[in-house]
């Protein structure tokens, strides 16, 4: 019997899946043509530079930070708390990456006219969002620990 991943059979999927896939490829092609129409060399250089920066600089940095976090929480026997730090750190880092020109204050007049805000407001707002993310994560951890403690108190003693 041949399954969908067996050799000799090509799984196409449903007609709706094919339609959505072809529409996404068409949209990506349109965006690529529009993006590369002006300064194709600059765009290509930016994409290659961003990939190299990520792979050679950023990936080793956040992998080392994650290893240090796991090692530190492992020492205090709280390795399961890792996700309560990873998720807000990743979201905060993503916001920093996307909004870096505004957060760093290195903006020109078109950013200012596009946002309608002075550049001085973005760093405090990013810091506030980061604090809310970590605070919400800490609150979720406290709720989880209280639930676990309550469940342990309600559990009858084990009979040996």
């Amino acid at each position: 019997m041949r399954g969908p991943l067996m050799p000799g059979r090509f799984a196409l999927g449903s007609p709706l899946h094919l339609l959505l896939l072809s529409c996404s490829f068409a949209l990506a092609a349109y965006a690529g043509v529009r993006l590369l129409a002006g300064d194709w060399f600059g765009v290509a250089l930016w994409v290659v530079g961003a990939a190299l920066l990520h792979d050679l600089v950023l990936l080793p940095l956040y992998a080392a930070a994650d290893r240090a976090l796991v090692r530190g929480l492992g020492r205090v026997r709280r390795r399961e708390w890792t996700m309560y730090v990873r998720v807000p750190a990743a979201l905060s880092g993503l916001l920093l990456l996307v909004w870096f020109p505004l957060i760093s204050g290195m903006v020109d007049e078109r950013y200012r006219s596009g946002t309608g805000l002075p550049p001085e407001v973005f760093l405090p707002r990013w810091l506030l969002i980061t604090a809310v993310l970590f605070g919400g994560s800490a609150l979720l951890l406290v709720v989880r620990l209280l639930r676990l403690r309550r469940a342990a108190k309600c559990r009858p003693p084990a009979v040996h």
Side-chain angles (χ1 to χ4, degrees), residues 8-121:
R9 182 169 179 192
F10 184 71
L12 289 176
S14 71
L16 178 63
H17 181 255
L18 291 175
L19 177 67
L20 290 174
L21 193 59
S22 60
C23 287
S24 68
F25 281 130
L27 181 64
Y30 173 74
V33 167
R34 294 282 301 203
L35 182 67
L36 296 174
D39 181 20
W40 67 268
F41 183 74
V43 172
L45 186 65
W46 183 87
V47 169
V48 170
L52 289 175
L53 175 71
H54 175 265
D55 291 349
L56 298 178
V57 177
L58 296 178
L59 182 66
L61 282 177
Y62 60 74
D66 186 63
R67 238 178 288 133
L69 171 70
V70 170
R71 191 175 300 129
L73 288 175
R75 284 194 186 123
V76 294
R77 301 191 192 285
R78 298 288 186 233
R79 206 172 210 165
E80 67 274 6
W81 292 3
T82 307
M83 291 309 289
Y84 292 96
V85 177
R86 279 181 183 163
V87 171
L91 291 174
S92 177
L94 182 63
L95 287 173
L96 177 64
L97 184 65
V98 170
W99 298 104
F100 183 75
L102 294 172
I103 292 170
S104 67
M106 300 183 324
V107 295
D108 58 6
E109 192 55 41
R110 74 183 153 139
Y111 283 109
R112 193 170 311 179
S113 64
T115 62
L117 296 170
E120 298 84 32
V121 301

Side-chain angles (χ1 to χ4, degrees), residues 120-143:
E120 298 84 32
V121 301
F122 293 102
L123 177 62
R125 288 181 182 186
W126 175 73
L127 291 172
L128 179 65
I129 291 171
T130 300
V132 167
L133 286 170
F134 277 98
S137 183
L139 183 66
L140 286 174
L141 177 61
V142 167
V143 167

